[in-house]
């Protein structure tokens, strides 16, 4: 019976709106064919939608973290790195120089911490 009802929905002009309304309903109120889908199909879609929402939040958090790291690196470069020659302007040389400078700064900071403690 539900397959027959779902076929009726295929040509319905409000099928998409009907489907959206059905997804927004709480599963305890969800009976019958809406937007060409059965309650079981809609439950599966809701679960996938929830999984995607969680994954998207994790992705956003990762992007925010990466943007913070890039911003920190950009500030570090702007404050501490200078170009001695045209060779320094290549990306590979710049990255190597920044890493060496960061390691040197880190070593100095650790030495200061050791003196104070």
């Amino acid at each position: 019976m539900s397959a027959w009802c779902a076929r009726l929905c295929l040509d319905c002009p409000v099928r998409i709106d009907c489907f959206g309304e059905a997804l927004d309903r709480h599963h305890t109120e969800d009976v019958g064919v809406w937007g060409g889908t059965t309650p079981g199909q809609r439950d599966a879609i809701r679960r996938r939608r929830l999984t995607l929402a969680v994954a998207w939040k994790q992705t956003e958090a990762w992007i925010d973290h990466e943007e913070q790291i890039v911003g920190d690196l950009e500030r570090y470069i702007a404050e501490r790195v200078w170009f001695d020659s045209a060779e320094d302007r290549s990306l590979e040389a710049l990255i190597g120089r920044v890493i060496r400078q960061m390691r040197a700064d880190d070593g100095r900071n650790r030495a200061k911490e050791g003196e104070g403690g």
Side-chain angles (χ1 to χ4, degrees):
M1 176 73 164
S2 62
W4 178 81
C5 293
R7 280 195 301 273
L8 285 176
C9 295
L10 291 176
D11 295 325
C12 181
V14 296
R15 178 176 175 229
I16 300 299
D17 294 332
C18 181
F19 176 66
E21 176 68 25
L23 284 179
D24 291 341
R25 289 174 175 264
H26 191 272
H27 66 89
T28 57
E29 304 171 344
D30 193 12
V31 294
V33 174
W34 286 67
T37 59
T38 64
Q41 290 169 326
R42 291 188 297 273
D43 284 343
I45 291 167
R46 285 185 194 103
R47 284 191 301 274
R48 277 183 273 160
R49 195 164 62 170
L50 180 61
T51 300
L52 289 173
V54 169
W56 179 250
K57 289 226 179 274
Q58 291 171 342
T59 301
E60 284 180 325
W62 179 80
I63 289 170
D64 289 345
H65 179 70
E66 291 296 311
E67 287 176 350
Q68 181 181 353
I69 290 171
V70 168
D72 291 347
L73 184 57
E74 287 172 343
R75 280 188 294 284
Y76 184 90
I77 290 170
E79 293 169 0
R80 295 183 179 88
V81 177
W82 60 95
F83 296 108
D84 285 338
S85 67
E87 289 178 9
D88 285 346
R89 297 185 188 276
S90 77
L91 182 59
E92 187 176 322
L94 177 61
I95 290 171
R97 184 177 178 149
V98 168
I99 290 171
R100 286 190 299 277
Q101 183 68 43
M102 289 174 80
R103 286 180 180 154
D105 288 352
D106 187 47
R108 283 192 291 273
N109 290 337
R110 287 185 185 185
K112 286 180 185 176
E113 290 172 4
E115 293 170 6

